[in-house]
Amino acid sequence: MTSGLWELVLKGVWTTVQLLVCSALLGAAVSFVVGIARSHRLKFVRFLAGFYTEVFRGTSALVMIFWVFFVLPVAFGWQLVPLWAGTLALGLTYGAYGAEIVRGALTAVDPAQQEGGIALSFTPWQRLRLILLPQAVPEMIPPFSNLLIELLKGTALVSITGMGDLTFSANLVRLALQESAEIYTYILLIYFVIAFLLTRVMRGLEKKLKAGVGKKPDGKTRAPEPVVVEGVR
């Protein structure tokens, strides 16, 4: 390929990375908000969170992208730039899957931990922040890593709308060269490299979050001396 065509591909890579990062941030925020709401003590909050999850898990991501690109401007007059439209559609869709990961991890925490927080008179927010999330978040990393890879592959769907991502750029190069095998092999390798790097980063994050969990005391920490009160046997 010529330098001009490679430049087109690299621009597509940059667009895909931008879309991936923005969608992942939105999806992570939605995952935690909805996932925590699924465990809320109020039934109405649980119903709304469950309704959102079922709707976005039960609809096609591609159709949702079409809806945001073409229906939203007509229905509400909100014309979003392609990057933000793709971010909204993918972030809301994959956030619904992430919400189930968060809910499952929070539910898996030993109920005795929750009861201990209640015994210490912690508020629900304190129990969530100090007890549940520190134990649940490390367990969320492996399924979130898989979901992030799925989101990376899902970014290719925006090429249908004409957004200049990696897949769209590859198709333009294919039309210019009239050669499918070479260009699509390159694109497969680029997606694989990005996914491999994401996996390494998430694995490192998992190790960091789990550092010290389940380790035995180092022997240097001494137990507190018993308090002796005079006159009390």
Side-chain angles (χ1 to χ4, degrees), residues 45-66:
V45 175
R46 295 198 305 270
F47 171 78
L48 290 180
F51 179 76
Y52 168 85
T53 303
E54 294 301 326
V55 168
F56 279 88
R57 285 196 309 169
T59 54
S60 167
L62 179 59
V63 175
M64 185 60 65
I65 291 173
F66 281 139

Side-chain angles (χ1 to χ4, degrees), residues 64-200:
M64 185 60 65
I65 291 173
F66 281 139
W67 196 90
V68 173
F69 267 87
F70 302 115
V71 178
L72 192 64
V74 175
F76 301 98
W78 298 343
Q79 184 65 56
L80 299 176
V81 297
L83 178 62
W84 296 125
T87 296
L88 182 63
L90 293 175
L92 293 178
T93 299
Y94 284 88
Y97 293 95
E100 286 299 287
I101 296 175
V102 173
R103 184 192 64 82
L106 291 175
T107 305
V109 176
D110 190 347
Q113 302 289 329
Q114 181 89 316
E115 294 169 0
I118 296 174
L120 293 172
S121 300
F122 283 1
T123 64
W125 167 245
Q126 288 175 322
R127 294 197 299 270
L128 176 67
R129 182 172 57 89
L130 301 176
I131 298 176
L132 296 179
L133 285 179
Q135 298 181 69
V137 169
E139 304 303 324
M140 300 177 193
I141 300 302
F144 266 133
S145 178
N146 291 333
L147 188 61
L148 187 60
I149 301 303
E150 289 297 323
L151 176 58
L152 169 64
K153 293 184 288 186
T155 57
L157 296 174
V158 301
S159 63
I160 302 297
T161 63
M163 184 176 175
D165 72 316
L166 179 58
T167 303
F168 184 81
S169 300
N171 190 49
L172 293 180
V173 175
R174 181 188 66 82
L175 293 175
L177 297 178
Q178 294 298 312
E179 176 63 45
S180 300
E182 179 184 1
I183 181 59
Y184 283 128
T185 300
Y186 287 144
I187 298 307
L188 283 176
L189 291 175
I190 292 173
Y191 273 113
F192 172 77
V193 170
I194 298 175
F196 181 80
L197 294 176
L198 290 175
T199 302
R200 296 294 108 183

